[in-house]
Amino acid sequence: MQWSIVLMLGSTVLQGCLPSFHCCGEAWGWLGLVALLVCRALQGLSAGGELSTAAVYISEVSPKNRLGYNLSWISASGNFLAWAVAALVMFLIESLVSHEDMLLWGWRLPYLTSVVPGAALILARRCLEETPDFEELVKEEAERTCANQLEGDTDVVATSGGPLREVFAHHKLAVLIGSLGTMGIGAFWYVPSVYGVQFIMQYNDLPATAVSFSEMLGFCIPAVLAVFAGMLVDVWGACKVHTLALIGGCVIVPMPLLYWWTHVPQSFAIAALFIGQIA
């Protein structure tokens, strides 16, 4: 878990040091672009490792009747609130730095300043104790290995075929629904809130500060609602809430919103931006 934080921090800070087309020319710009893709891939790997281990950790220490509520704080703080803080940082930088300086060096500031919260997370992780379930699992594994060595059996035969094989063998429908639903919800998070606002900004020539501020508001709302969604999971069950979010967030809302954004008059573009983000 700590290594995933280090990998995320290192790849994020490194992006702030990459050469760009605007400041370093075409040759260095292409090198920076390739390095950017590598850093983004490393960020994705580290985020996947961190979120999954955090979810497992909370699942092991949380009471079952409050599991949805406790897990919801991962989305509230680790996803939406983090995006809101990032949008706020961008809003402040864009308000203080000119457009030309932003292209030259201002865009590097959010990446480089991430070293402060990243270092704090690494220090906090060092103080985090392992869960009793994990310690019991390690103890059982050590006892099993010791018993096999005493019996002279060096080959440990896996009776279940491993956890992944067991999941795919006995939970095919759950894996399919969860995978497709997660991809759909992930696409909804990115398309309207990131690419959609960039489109309406370029299409209507809106100021970058308005876009960053709208993104901050747009992520603050789900940061609050995520906690209530977690409470709803404890009452209704994860399957019903996930299906409801999938239908509403990936089918009902995105298409009308994107259609409205592409046909809104320019005089109403900023208002449409904020309304769409809040909706």
Side-chain angles (χ1 to χ4, degrees):
M1 190 172 178
Q2 186 170 342
W3 281 109
S4 61
I5 300 176
V6 173
L7 183 60
M8 171 65 79
L9 177 61
S11 57
T12 301
V13 174
L14 182 59
Q15 289 180 67
C17 305
L18 297 179
S20 66
F21 290 99
H22 193 79
C23 70
C24 303
E26 185 173 356
W28 283 101
W30 282 110
L31 177 62
L33 180 60
V34 173
L36 175 63
L37 296 177
V38 174
C39 289
R40 293 294 292 172
L42 293 176
Q43 278 186 313
L45 291 174
S46 59
E50 187 64 23
L51 289 175
S52 59
T53 51
V56 171
Y57 187 92
I58 294 176
S59 299
E60 291 179 354
V61 300
S62 172
K64 298 302 180 183
N65 60 338
R66 293 177 61 85
L67 183 58
Y69 171 77
N70 292 333
L71 285 174
S72 68
W73 286 100
I74 296 179
S75 296
S77 59
N79 290 338
F80 299 118
L81 187 59
W83 280 49
V85 172
L88 176 61
V89 171
M90 285 302 302
F91 171 75
L92 295 175
I93 294 176
E94 290 167 345
S95 301
L96 299 174
V97 178
S98 65
H99 179 70
E100 184 65 24
D101 289 338
M102 193 70 186
L103 293 176
L104 282 174
W105 55 268
W107 64 271
R108 302 179 186 272
L109 295 179
Y111 296 101
L112 298 178
T113 54
S114 65
V115 69
V116 177
L121 283 175
I122 293 175
L123 294 177
R125 177 62 184 90
R126 294 173 64 90
C127 302
L128 189 64
E129 298 180 355
E130 298 293 351
T131 65
D133 290 345
F134 179 79
E135 292 179 349
E136 183 66 23
L137 181 64
V138 172
K139 181 180 178 180
E140 291 178 358
E141 184 65 25
E143 292 176 351
R144 187 183 302 110
T145 303
C146 182
N148 290 330
Q149 290 176 350
L150 291 176
E151 295 174 1
D153 185 10
T154 57
D155 296 327
V156 179
V157 180
T159 58
S160 63
L164 283 179
R165 181 177 298 178
E166 182 178 352
V167 168
F168 283 102
H170 302 289
H171 306 281
K172 296 183 180 67
L173 182 59
V175 170
L176 178 63
I177 295 176
S179 300
L180 295 178
T182 302
M183 286 188 290
I185 293 176
F188 174 68
W189 283 351
Y190 278 97
V191 173
S193 59
V194 178
Y195 299 113
V197 296
Q198 292 297 321
F199 170 80
I200 195 172
M201 179 186 71
Q202 298 177 10
Y203 186 77
N204 294 282
D205 195 23
L206 300 180
T209 52
V211 173
S212 298
F213 193 75
S214 70
E215 289 177 336
M216 182 192 66
L217 292 179
F219 287 117
C220 282
I221 294 174
V224 176
L225 294 179
V227 178
F228 294 98
M231 298 169 64
L232 198 61
V233 166
D234 292 329
V235 177
W236 282 5
C239 183
K240 294 180 180 178
V241 176
H242 188 81
T243 304
L244 182 63
L246 179 62
I247 295 174
C250 303
V251 179
I252 298 177
V253 176
M255 295 305 296
L257 177 60
L258 293 176
Y259 178 84
W260 181 48
W261 272 353
T262 55
H263 294 80
V264 69
Q266 187 172 6
S267 59
F268 194 68
I270 293 182
L273 181 66
F274 281 90
I275 294 173
Q277 287 283 48
I278 294 174

